[in-house]
Amino acid sequence: NTSSLLVDTLKEKEITVVTGIAHPEPFLKYLSEKGLSFKHYKYPDHHNFSASEIEGLKEKDFVLTTEKDFVRLEKQLDNVYYMPIETTFLNNKEMFDALVLDFVAINS
């Protein structure tokens, strides 16, 4: 059972943002640009949450995270939600493909 919330409804909540990704800055910037106020708990990429960390997060009113971290937290927390992140390449596709192929050729 999946439910959705509008970003505007989050402005009324006390939000705890949890990230266990390498570069959370774009996610945090997006939340700030939407006018959300939050406290950020930053963990290393692929972080294994300890029992005490989980207990601390259970005490929070509203935990917001990325979809990647949600998958790891959803069975342990009833108060966790995620915001899907989508990546779009707006530049020239051919140029991007060439850069990737050059990088692979150099590093193989």
Side-chain angles (χ1 to χ4, degrees), residues 64-75:
L64 182 63
T65 190
T66 62
E67 195 167 0
K68 173 189 165 196
D69 291 318
F70 176 81
V71 170
R72 297 173 340 147
L73 293 169
E74 69 177 319
K75 291 184 173 94

Side-chain angles (χ1 to χ4, degrees), residues 14-91:
E14 188 173 317
I15 301 171
T16 300
V17 174
V18 175
T19 59
I21 57 176
H23 302 286
E25 295 80 14
F27 179 55
L28 301 173
K29 181 180 177 194
Y30 176 81
L31 297 176
S32 293
E33 287 173 350
K34 292 298 179 185
L36 300 180
S37 173
F38 55 87
K39 182 166 183 172
H40 179 216
Y41 289 82
K42 181 179 179 179
Y43 297 96
D45 200 14
H46 305 291
H47 180 71
N48 290 318
F49 294 91
S50 69
S52 63
E53 289 167 338
I54 294 296
E55 287 305 312
L57 292 173
K58 283 181 179 179
E59 296 174 5
K60 305 299 180 189
D61 292 331
F62 188 91
V63 177
L64 182 63
T65 190
T66 62
E67 195 167 0
K68 173 189 165 196
D69 291 318
F70 176 81
V71 170
R72 297 173 340 147
L73 293 169
E74 69 177 319
K75 291 184 173 94
Q76 301 171 77
L77 298 174
D78 293 330
N79 59 343
V80 65
Y81 298 84
Y82 72 90
M83 186 166 290
I85 297 174
E86 182 177 301
T87 302
T88 305
F89 295 101
L90 300 177
N91 291 332

